[in-house]
Amino acid sequence: MKELFLLLLVVVASLLLQSADSSERDCRDVVASLERNITSEGFACADELGIELSRGRGRGNGRGRGNGRGRGNGNERGNGQGRGRGRGRGRGRGKAMKFLNAYSKLDVDEQQELASCVLEGMGLLDGDTFDSTTLADNLISDLTAAGQSAAINATVAVIEDGGCPLEDGDPDLIAILEFTDCLKGSCAAPLDTEAELI
């Protein structure tokens, strides 16, 4: 039930997003890069560990290539190319959502094994425990390198103040993706003018 609520929350949040100024985009890009890393590492670890991730049905494969059911790029227009090239919808958040959906359907032991592999590959394990401090420090460094803006400064402040909760503990990718969703909200709505002074 928790996973369904999370998926619904993510879908609603993405529908409510409006066009962002460049500072908001820069902020979101940094946070989204963490999601992309988790997703890429997750699919690689699943293959390595022999864990079957049900990737679900849909258009595209996460790399911008379609599945042959494109919009007029195949034989139906008489261009002789065979199957259509399609226009994949697997870019960005769509691929992360497919991964999260597949991950949430695994049993607890497989989730833990996969999360441990992902976090180890990203250098975010301290023994067998997820190291939230290292993740926070890495994000702050990446955000700072992206430049100075109200959105970035507000997001750094949220990370430093614990406004988006994330704790050390058992490896759990759902908790990390909930954390990234929270951070994207702070990118969109800087806390106040004090954030600009950080």
Side-chain angles (χ1 to χ4, degrees):
M1 191 69 176
K2 178 182 175 184
E3 293 81 14
L4 289 175
F5 175 75
L6 175 63
L7 290 174
L8 180 61
L9 179 66
V10 169
V11 169
V12 169
S14 65
L15 291 174
L16 294 176
L17 295 176
Q18 299 175 356
S19 62
D21 64 21
S22 64
S23 67
E24 181 182 333
R25 267 192 309 266
D26 292 343
C27 180
R28 286 181 177 276
D29 286 346
V30 171
V31 176
S33 70
L34 173 60
E35 290 177 347
R36 285 191 299 274
N37 290 343
I38 289 171
T39 302
S40 296
E41 194 75 32
F43 283 123
C45 281
D47 290 342
E48 177 184 320
L49 297 169
I51 295 174
E52 181 65 33
L53 287 177
S54 169
R55 296 181 189 218
R57 299 176 67 183
R59 297 177 58 165
N61 62 4
R63 295 184 183 100
R65 293 188 296 267
N67 60 7
R69 290 180 282 169
R71 298 181 186 146
N73 291 329
N75 278 338
E76 69 274 15
R77 295 226 178 162
N79 62 8
Q81 293 178 348
R83 292 179 59 179
R85 288 188 304 263
R87 294 182 186 170
R89 292 186 186 178
R91 294 178 182 245
R93 188 65 184 172
K95 188 174 181 184
M97 288 300 301
K98 285 180 183 180
F99 173 75
L100 177 61
N101 187 33
Y103 174 80
S104 67
K105 292 178 182 177
L106 298 174
D107 65 43
V108 174
D109 291 336
E110 287 179 320
Q111 283 183 356
Q112 185 107 21
E113 185 179 12
L114 184 56
S116 293
C117 178
V118 169
L119 297 175
E120 182 178 10
M122 296 175 69
L124 298 174
L125 276 187
D126 183 12
D128 290 336
T129 304
F130 166 60
D131 183 0
S132 63
T133 304
T134 299
L135 176 62
D137 290 345
N138 291 347
L139 273 172
I140 290 171
S141 294
D142 292 345
L143 286 164
T144 304
Q148 286 283 323
S149 71
I152 288 174
N153 292 337
T155 304
V156 169
V158 165
I159 294 170
E160 291 175 340
D161 297 342
C164 291
L166 187 64
E167 300 176 359
D168 293 349
D170 291 335
D172 181 4
L173 300 181
I174 291 174
I176 297 172
L177 292 171
E178 288 173 344
F179 172 71
T180 61
D181 282 341
C182 179
L183 292 181
K184 285 182 180 179
S186 64
C187 287
L191 297 175
D192 53 37
T193 54
E194 284 184 328
E196 296 178 22
L197 304 175
I198 293 175

